[in-house]
Amino acid sequence: MKNGLWDDSRGYGKKQEVDLKDSECTVTLKGEFAAVTAHEKLDAETPSKRAIADPKSFPLTLSERVLFLQITPAPAK
């Protein structure tokens, strides 16, 4: 059975038949944050990280690669 990124009929570690295209999205966060950092290309030889200048709303590219957001809350008032 094929369902997007995963093809259950293929053995473990086998590349999927067709790579899905990257997809652009906008992430919108509510609240106050001291910092938001995007850690991208974690499965690459040289991972990257970038500080998000405006954590209220920012673009991200979604792909089959590993990505995570590190969200640091604002100090309590």
Side-chain angles (χ1 to χ4, degrees):
M1 169 192 282
K2 294 181 182 181
N3 56 16
L5 287 176
W6 195 254
D7 182 352
D8 293 331
S9 67
R10 293 175 170 263
Y12 179 78
K14 302 285 185 183
K15 184 173 173 59
Q16 70 247 16
E17 189 171 298
V18 177
D19 290 337
L20 296 179
K21 294 180 181 178
D22 292 355
S23 179
E24 301 298 321
C25 75
T26 300
V27 176
T28 304
L29 300 175
K30 294 182 180 184
E32 298 296 320
F33 306 99
V36 176
T37 304
H39 296 266
E40 302 170 291
K41 302 178 185 170
L42 297 177
D43 56 341
E45 204 168 298
T46 53
S48 65
K49 68 178 183 177
R50 64 182 169 102
I52 304 298
D54 179 12
K56 297 277 187 208
S57 183
F58 54 94
L60 276 182
T61 301
L62 299 178
S63 71
E64 61 188 32
R65 302 197 79 150
V66 177
L67 148 75
F68 80 88
L69 296 176
Q70 178 181 0
I71 301 172
T72 306
K77 293 182 182 183

